[in-house]
């Protein structure tokens, strides 16, 4: 086992899959000569050359659509979006084309493509550059969506995503690229569609994905000091969603707090909270709580932007609410 | 078909202009330069965070073009590299620096930061963080001017990287077909982040792209504020009179990295030094010296004054209040 950063885990996944399969190639803004805006693709241009690591113009709609075309014609593109904020320009190709090619062609075509890059709030960037887009993407049948928050999951899920015959969107976090974690020396995959218990507990289930995982684990540490034992369930995949894992945990703890750094309306978090309320109705000892972003565009001012986002304190407060602790 | 023009003139002797006008251009450029240096310093001290894209080297573009405008009826829109444009339209250094500090006294109440300088009254409609997004928006502002019959023109600034966005091409076609008074200004500083123009563009001269929409295009020297001013005067007059769009490929250069976090390893020191020889401030100063419209002493005074304004803006930002937490719910709906 080696302790590596998430950005290096992602790079290893790319490197291994590009070695394994010649049809895999990487393209995006600054992925080649600049080694990636967040240095995920460091060294890949040197290793694989300009045929397989391509610097694109700033033309998200164009190169994303090109990727879709290459995918239905037999290649396995990995499209890096510098951030998901800029991917909004490409969403027509993702939602109207990648997600629907198989369906519209009556099952004739497959579209094995990965769209990936940093998603979610960063720091000091104001509202166009600090937003979480999972709700927009999980909404769409035909797409798979994964959102890892550890080096192990990032590597294993990216490898699975590249091998998957469907379009897979992978949500990374700019703030988490430097987080380190253990990754086995031997090859492994993390299956798409499987949640993971990151910490076991008996009193309340914290359901989380992406970088708020760290906050949930910290909150669980804090709560343990007060003899409250939280189970932390990391969804990892948002579509397909591992509903069984969710219900199993809630049936054990009887209480549930969902954490999602995107806006609360029609979000992954609100959807999961609804599923739990509906399917664990008889098992629940309290209402399901949702800790989400405030329902506002992200302000630039740092104090404000921190106040907008989920926090360890907000999670602890929600846990105490479902435990009826004042 | 509209024919492209090459910016032929070496700007004529500054003597044609009175000292006051030339000094105004010089002061505006100096104020921007010293402001940006101060901003870089404050970034180093972590008073400013996030992306901070500096304008050093490109001052002549905003200053020379805004000088040719009538901001009572004209508008400007630009990208995230917007501090220079904000100062050029007359926004105070205090309000821009306070915005960089995220303070409530900032022009956007601490909501926008470096990439989102706005001043509706001065017709500065932002500061946009999405590459190319301001191009269709500026086209719409020009549309509104024409609709209302104000004779206003809109200047839309963007980078050499932005020109490859579909939004650029869609906008030019719209502006051409609907004959809109929009002037599209490529601030061509050779690089989009770490990518040199020729690696992602099939042409070196962006003005040729005007031909595809049958509108006039022109290459403009972006280091010489006077020749740029003269070119823009003509172009603006034409756009105003004939209500039609223009595309200008303005050749300029940025001295700093793309943003504060970019070490700019993709270019050589020699290249940077070569461009600094035609520094817009030094060029204008040299001409004014030659024509005896300024002395070294006078120049130094102006420069000291610019440094003072920049320092004062930091003092102002420092002592301004943070926005109250409740303000996060404000400025969302009308
Ligand atoms: C749609 C979109 N894609 C990518 C980015 C990231 N990005 C910000 S600036 C930039 C380079 C733009 O270069 P250019 O247009 O030449 O402007 P300059 O920075 O040189 O002024 C990139 C890729 C973005 N902000 N928006
Ligand atoms: Mg540029």
């Amino acid at each position: 086992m080696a302790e590596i950063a998430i950005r290096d885990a992602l790079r290893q996944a790319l490197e291994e899959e590009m070695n394994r399969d010649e049809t895999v190639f990487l393209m995006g803004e600054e992925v080649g000569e600049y080694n990636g805006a967040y240095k995920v693709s460091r060294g890949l241009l040197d290793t694989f050359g300009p045929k397989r690591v391509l610097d694109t113009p700033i033309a998200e709609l164009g190169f994303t659509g090109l990727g879709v075309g290459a995918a239905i014609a037999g290649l396995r593109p990995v499209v890096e979006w510098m951030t998901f904020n800029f991917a909004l320009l490409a969403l027509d190709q993702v939602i109207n084309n990648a997600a629907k090619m198989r369906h519209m062609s009556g099952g004739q075509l497959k579209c094995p493509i990965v769209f990936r890059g940093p998603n979610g709030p960063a720091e000091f960037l104001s509202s166009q550059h600090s937003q979480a887009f999972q709700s927009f993407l999980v909404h769409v049948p035909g797409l798979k969506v994964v959102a890892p928050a550890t080096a192990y999951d990032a590597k294993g899920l990216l490898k699975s995503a590249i091998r998957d015959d469907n379009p897979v969107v992978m949500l990374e976090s700019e703030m988490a690229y430097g987080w380190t974690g253990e990754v086995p020396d031997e090859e492994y995959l993390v299956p798409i569609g499987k949640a993971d218990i990151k910490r076991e507990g008996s009193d309340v289930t914290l359901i989380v994905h992406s970088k708020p995982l760290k906050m949930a684990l910290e909150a669980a540490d804090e709560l343990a000091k007060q003899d409250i034992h939280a189970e932390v369930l990391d969804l990892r995949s948002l579509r397909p969603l591992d509903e069984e894992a969710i219900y199993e945990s809630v049936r054990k703890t009887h209480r549930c707090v969902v954490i999602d750094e995107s806006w609360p309306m029609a979000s992954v978090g609100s959807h999961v909270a609804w599923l739990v309320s509906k399917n664990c109705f008889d098992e629940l000892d309290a209402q399901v709580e949702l800790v989400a972003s405030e329902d506002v565009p992200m302000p630039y001012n740092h104090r404000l932007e921190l106040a907008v986002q989920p926090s360890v304190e907000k999670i602890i407060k929600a846990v105490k609410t479902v435990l009826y602790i004042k | 078909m509209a024919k492209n023009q090459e910016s032929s003139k070496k700007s004529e002797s500054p003597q044609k202009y009175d000292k006051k006008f030339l000094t105004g251009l010089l002061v505006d450029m100096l104020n921007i330069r010293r402001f940006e240096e101060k901003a870089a310093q404050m970034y180093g001290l972590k008073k400013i965070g996030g992306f901070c894209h500096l304008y050093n080297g490109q001052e002549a573009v905003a200053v020379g073009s805004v000088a040719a405008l009538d901001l009572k009826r004209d508008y400007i829109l630009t990208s995230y590299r917007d501090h220079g444009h904000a100062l050029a339209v007359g926004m105070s250094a205090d309000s821009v620096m306070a915005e960089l500090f995220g303070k409530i006294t900032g022009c956007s109440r601490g909501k926008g930061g470096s990439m989102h300088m706005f001043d509706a009254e001065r017709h500065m409609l932002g500061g946009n963080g999405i590459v190319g997004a301001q191009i269709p928006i500026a086209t719409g502002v020009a549309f509104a001017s024409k609709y209302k019959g104000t004779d206003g023109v809109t200047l839309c600034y963007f980078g050499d990287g932005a020109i490859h966005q579909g939004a650029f091409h869609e906008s030019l076609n719209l502006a051409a077909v609907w004959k809109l008074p929009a002037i599209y200004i490529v601030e061509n500083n050779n690089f989009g982040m770490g990518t040199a123009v020729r690696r992602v563009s099939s042409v070196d001269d962006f003005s040729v792209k005007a031909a595809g929409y049958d509108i006039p295009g022109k290459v403009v020297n972006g280091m010489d504020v006077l020749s740029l001013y003269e070119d823009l005067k003509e172009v603006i007059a034409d756009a105003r009179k004939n209500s039609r769009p223009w595309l200008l490929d303005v050749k300029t250069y940025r001295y700093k990295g793309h943003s504060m976090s970019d070490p700019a390893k993709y270019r050589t020191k020699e290249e940077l030094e070569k461009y600094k020889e035609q520094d817009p401030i030094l060029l204008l100063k040299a001409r004014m010296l030659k024509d005896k419209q300024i002395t070294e002493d006078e120049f130094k005074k102006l420069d000291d004054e610019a440094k003072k304004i920049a320092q004062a803006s930091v003092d102002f930002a420092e002592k301004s209040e943070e926005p109250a937490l409740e303000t996060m719910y404000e400025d969302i709906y009308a």
Side-chain angles (χ1 to χ4, degrees):
Chain A
M1 288 268 201
E3 170 113 358
I4 62 173
I6 289 183
R7 63 161 56 79
D8 296 315
L10 292 165
R11 197 204 57 244
Q12 286 184 3
L14 287 165
E15 195 166 351
E16 288 175 18
E17 293 307 302
M18 288 175 79
N19 276 324
R20 182 177 169 270
D21 180 349
E22 273 194 2
T23 65
V24 178
F25 70 98
L26 173 70
M27 69 175 153
E29 293 156 16
E30 308 287 353
V31 298
E33 290 193 13
Y34 200 71
N35 286 309
Y38 300 102
K39 305 300 169 208
V40 168
S41 54
R42 192 194 299 274
L44 294 182
L45 176 64
D46 289 343
T47 309
F48 296 102
K51 180 180 172 191
R52 298 182 67 195
V53 178
L54 295 100
D55 280 321
T56 66
I58 307 168
E60 286 82 4
L61 178 63
F63 70 76
T64 300
L66 186 153
V68 174
I72 61 170
L75 301 183
R76 288 187 177 269
V78 177
V79 173
E80 175 171 313
W81 291 320
M82 193 176 279
T83 77
F84 271 73
N85 304 289
F86 317 145
L88 289 187
L89 282 106
L91 281 194
D92 172 59
Q93 287 295 341
V94 178
I95 294 172
N96 274 327
N97 292 295
K100 300 186 172 74
M101 279 295 174
R102 186 172 196 85
H103 181 256
M104 294 185 299
S105 67
Q108 296 178 72
L109 299 183
K110 64 177 185 186
C111 191
I113 185 168
V114 176
F115 306 108
R116 48 158 290 272
N119 170 62
E123 279 187 306
F124 305 99
L125 295 180
S126 188
S127 45
Q128 291 182 328
H129 274 71
S130 247
Q131 23 191 0
F133 288 108
Q134 42 272 56
S135 316
F136 293 67
L137 294 151
V138 293
H139 198 56
V140 185
L143 295 181
K144 294 186 178 182
V145 182
V146 298
T150 65
Y152 179 90
D153 291 340
K155 180 173 178 183
L157 278 170
L158 181 52
K159 285 170 67 81
S160 293
I162 293 171
R163 292 185 198 184
D164 201 288
D165 278 344
N166 299 287
V168 182
V169 180
M170 177 141 160
L171 308 162
E172 300 157 11
S173 299
E174 182 181 334
M175 307 297 294
Y177 280 130
W179 295 359
T180 59
E182 293 206 326
V183 167
D185 300 324
E186 60 281 3
E187 182 169 45
Y188 70 98
L189 297 171
V190 171
I192 295 174
K194 283 269 167 268
D196 184 42
I197 295 176
K198 289 286 186 318
R199 178 189 174 112
E200 295 208 33
S202 50
D203 297 334
V204 57
T205 299
L206 306 182
I207 302 178
V208 68
H209 65 276
S210 288
K211 76 170 186 281
L213 171 65
K214 202 170 182 174
M215 287 174 199
L217 290 170
E218 273 174 41
D221 280 344
E222 264 322 296
L223 289 161
K225 291 180 200 156
Q226 301 168 39
D227 209 25
I228 298 167
H229 302 285
E231 176 145 301
V232 178
L233 183 71
D234 178 4
L235 294 173
R236 299 196 296 192
S237 290
L238 307 181
R239 182 187 265 273
L241 190 63
D242 190 353
E243 291 187 35
E244 252 333 290
I246 295 172
Y247 305 146
E248 202 175 307
S249 176
V250 176
R251 283 185 202 120
K252 184 171 83 178
T253 63
H254 308 289
R255 297 168 204 270
C256 177
V257 172
V258 185
I259 302 134
D260 179 348
E261 65 181 344
S262 54
W263 295 299
M265 192 161 170
S267 67
V268 173
S270 62
H271 179 72
V272 168
W274 167 70
L275 283 174
V276 172
S277 308
K278 178 165 147 4
N279 295 311
C280 301
F281 185 74
D282 293 332
E283 302 278 348
L284 283 169
D285 287 342
Q287 81 277 17
V288 180
E289 282 291 314
L290 173 63
V291 179
S293 162
E294 290 291 318
D295 197 15
V296 302
M298 188 65 79
Y300 166 75
N301 175 277
H302 196 48
R303 211 165 63 99
L304 258 52
E305 71 175 341
L306 291 178
V308 163
Q309 298 174 58
S311 64
V312 173
E313 296 69 37
K314 288 181 189 177
I315 296 170
I316 291 175
K317 188 160 169 250
V319 166
K320 294 198 169 165
T321 302
V322 301
L323 282 160
Y324 306 112
I325 298 173
K326 289 269 153 58
Chain B
M1 193 156 102
K3 262 191 76 198
N4 279 7
Q5 302 176 8
E6 192 64 43
S7 170
S8 49
K9 50 183 139 281
K10 275 262 162 229
S11 80
E12 291 163 35
S13 163
Q15 255 158 10
K16 174 171 150 195
Y17 297 100
D18 64 24
K19 177 173 170 171
K20 195 165 149 239
F21 174 73
L22 294 174
T23 308
L25 295 178
L26 192 61
V27 164
D28 283 354
M29 291 196 293
L30 277 170
N31 284 346
I32 295 173
R33 177 72 54 88
R34 297 308 183 193
F35 181 92
E36 293 292 62
E37 284 169 357
K38 205 34 111 183
Q41 200 185 343
M42 292 303 117
Y43 196 94
L45 294 173
K46 296 203 167 17
K47 299 285 182 185
I48 301 170
F51 296 152
C52 184
H53 310 85
L54 301 182
Y55 202 56
N56 308 47
Q58 299 182 213
E59 295 91 345
V61 186
V63 169
S65 55
V66 168
L69 281 182
D70 168 12
L71 281 172
K72 292 225 164 44
R73 52 184 166 164
D74 299 336
Y75 289 88
I76 74 166
L77 291 87
T78 186
S79 72
Y80 44 82
R81 198 177 297 286
D82 60 351
H83 312 168
H85 305 81
L87 296 173
V89 299
M91 290 169 65
S92 74
D94 286 2
S95 73
V96 178
M97 190 62 84
E99 189 56 36
L100 292 174
F101 275 56
K103 297 296 180 77
I104 192 73
T105 51
C107 61
S108 304
R109 304 183 79 223
K111 296 278 179 77
S114 168
M115 299 189 281
H116 306 295
M117 301 298 170
F118 284 83
D119 189 334
E121 219 165 89
R122 291 189 171 80
H123 288 191
M124 159 62 171
L125 300 186
N128 201 307
I130 302 302
V131 168
Q134 72 274 28
I135 306 175
I137 300 171
T139 308
V141 175
F143 177 89
S145 293
K146 181 167 182 177
Y147 189 97
K148 294 194 279 188
T150 63
D151 284 338
V153 305
T154 300
L155 296 195
C156 176
Y157 306 85
F158 51 95
D160 46 277
I163 203 162
H164 305 301
Q165 288 285 24
F168 165 80
H169 298 276
E170 296 179 30
S171 299
L172 257 69
N173 187 53
L174 278 165
V177 172
W178 290 351
K179 300 207 172 354
L180 304 179
I183 298 164
Y184 301 96
I185 298 177
V186 192
E187 292 200 51
N188 184 351
N189 59 14
N190 277 323
F191 291 97
M193 219 170 247
T195 303
V197 164
R198 72 193 83 81
R199 289 178 52 220
V200 285
S201 174
S202 56
V203 295
D204 284 334
D205 169 4
F206 289 128
S207 75
V208 302
K209 291 186 190 281
Y213 305 100
D214 196 21
I215 66 172
K218 191 176 172 104
V219 176
V220 172
N221 177 349
M223 303 305 273
D224 180 341
V225 69
L226 266 187
S227 76
L228 184 133
Y229 168 78
E230 286 168 7
D231 282 339
L232 264 290
K233 264 276 183 220
E234 280 174 22
V235 166
I236 289 167
D238 178 84
R240 205 187 295 289
K241 181 156 157 269
N242 301 313
S243 189
R244 62 167 178 170
W246 280 76
L247 173 61
L248 308 180
D249 180 357
V250 177
K251 309 285 193 194
T252 179
Y253 202 77
R254 72 166 149 72
Y255 292 171
K256 303 290 179 186
H258 168 73
S259 66
M260 294 302 295
S261 59
D262 169 27
K265 287 189 200 143
Y266 42 80
R267 65 179 180 197
T268 61
K269 244 206 163 109
E270 291 72 43
E271 179 177 307
L272 177 59
E273 290 313 317
K274 200 188 91 210
Y275 276 95
K276 284 192 174 173
E277 283 166 20
Q278 19 160 0
D279 181 87
I281 294 172
L282 296 186
L283 273 189
L284 180 58
K285 176 190 169 195
R287 280 174 192 210
M288 291 176 72
L289 278 174
K290 189 167 131 258
D291 288 333
K292 306 215 163 22
Q293 288 181 308
I294 199 167
T295 64
E296 282 289 355
D297 269 0
E298 285 167 334
F299 179 81
K300 182 154 185 317
K301 267 202 200 111
L302 297 178
D303 194 25
D304 288 344
E305 186 56 29
K307 287 180 191 164
K308 250 192 240 153
I309 292 170
Q311 181 56 50
S313 75
V314 166
D315 299 340
F316 174 80
E318 285 278 15
K319 64 173 201 289
S320 292
E321 298 287 333
E322 295 265 332
L325 281 183
E326 318 78 83
T327 62
M328 76 164 78
Y329 303 108
E330 298 169 1
D331 311 312
I332 300 170
Y333 292 104

